[in-house]
Amino acid sequence: MAEISVSGREAQLARTGLRPGWTTGACATAATTAACTALFSGEFPDPVTITLPKGQQPAFALADERLEPGRSAMAAIVKDAGDDPDVTHGALVRATVRPLPPGSGVVFRAGPGVGTVTRPGLPLPVGEPAINPVPRRMMREHVALVAARLGGSGDVEVEISVDDGAEIARSTWNPRLGILGGLSILGTTGVVVPYSCSAWIDSIRRGVDVARAAGRRHVAGCTGSTSEKVAVAVHGLPEDALLDMGDFAGAVLKYLRRHPVDRLTIAGGFAKLSKLAAGHLDLHSSRSQVDKGFLAGLARQGGAGEELATAVAAANTGLETVQLCAAHGVPLGDLVAAAARDQALGVLRGAPVAVDVICIDRAGTIVGRAEARGPR
């Protein structure tokens, strides 16, 4: 019976024996920490240990290092994606740290192989290096820790580069999103979880079983860790009521159809839940895409004029469609949430489960909600 208490990603790993890996953000943080330490002390730590957002403390071996005392330090880490078929597995992630004048803070630069944002709709402004917010926060925190420990200044330039990153990026969505010149530095947890459809769906089912056995009548299916935190904040749900849905909305709904609870909250990123709203039950980017035409139609229903609807249809990302509509007072987030809820109720086929939906942006801000509604 002890095994069934494990759910979500931990269950997936336990059931498959697949080996987890580290995100580009974790590797960049490790390289930055090592380079910053060398800049301040003259010595590179090898291995270098960092702390991830959920408290894990992995150690990384250095693949390359170079020190110009007082001027710069460079450290490099080979990305290990574990057993996940990640295109960046084996990539060499480099961080070069240089001192800046007092008061500069931490300034990020895109080195060779790291992309630059050229179009709106992403969580970074146009012109910024494609180093996502969580990796930036991790690097800032580790620079501050090293500076405090060694008496150095936390005012540094951090340049992240990836060997052959521009070539690797051709196999990603970056060119289509307007991220040019290389890869993005990504990761919200620092950990890459190997992707196994059958194992993940099995863990969802086991998660429902655990919740029901504990007497939980309200569960939340969440697309990731950020939406999970939002669901907890909004509804105060305990850990055993949280389902790591990932991309498998259909798996959650079909299992609850046969094993119902009183209420299901679906929480996730706006782009993913816009796919559910359009009728997709598998939200993975390789199997479904954000339909901007569909979103433009919803915007029209919400009062958008033809000029705004046309802009929505031509937007770069799902996030940009929300921003465009919000600027004109059109509640696209709420409309998507309501459509996603209605699709979910359709899949439930009258099962006694009420559904509400919460859409968030990448920062975890709620951009759309649909109140609970019961069986049709």
Side-chain angles (χ1 to χ4, degrees), residues 223 245-247 249 272-273 275-276 280-285 288:
T223 59
M245 179 175 74
D247 295 311
K272 283 189 181 292
L273 294 193
K275 299 178 188 180
L276 175 59
H280 298 286
L281 299 182
D282 185 336
L283 312 181
H284 193 271
S285 60
S288 60

Side-chain angles (χ1 to χ4, degrees), residues 26 83 101 134 163 168 365:
D83 291 327
V134 172
D163 288 18
I168 298 170
T365 302

Side-chain angles (χ1 to χ4, degrees), residues 178-267:
I179 298 173
L180 303 183
L183 293 163
S184 299
I185 304 301
L186 303 171
T188 56
T189 65
V191 180
V192 174
V193 177
Y195 195 81
S196 165
C197 294
S198 60
W200 203 302
I201 290 172
D202 180 60
S203 73
I204 287 170
R205 293 168 177 167
R206 295 171 68 238
V208 172
D209 293 342
V210 168
R212 283 166 52 91
R216 306 301 179 196
R217 306 309 304 164
H218 182 181
V219 300
C222 306
T223 59
S225 59
T226 303
S227 55
E228 186 175 277
K229 291 176 183 176
V230 172
V232 170
V234 171
H235 292 300
L237 294 172
E239 185 177 8
D240 58 6
L242 303 174
L243 308 174
D244 195 348
M245 179 175 74
D247 295 311
F248 300 107
V252 171
L253 294 166
K254 292 172 185 177
Y255 197 69
L256 286 175
R257 187 169 69 204
R258 302 190 300 275
H259 305 85
V261 295
D262 293 341
R263 183 167 177 179
L264 167 67
T265 295
I266 298 174

Side-chain angles (χ1 to χ4, degrees), residues 125-140:
V126 170
E128 279 291 307
I131 303 170
N132 268 20
V134 172
R136 287 181 184 231
R137 187 184 75 221
M138 291 169 59
M139 283 183 264
R140 286 193 182 100

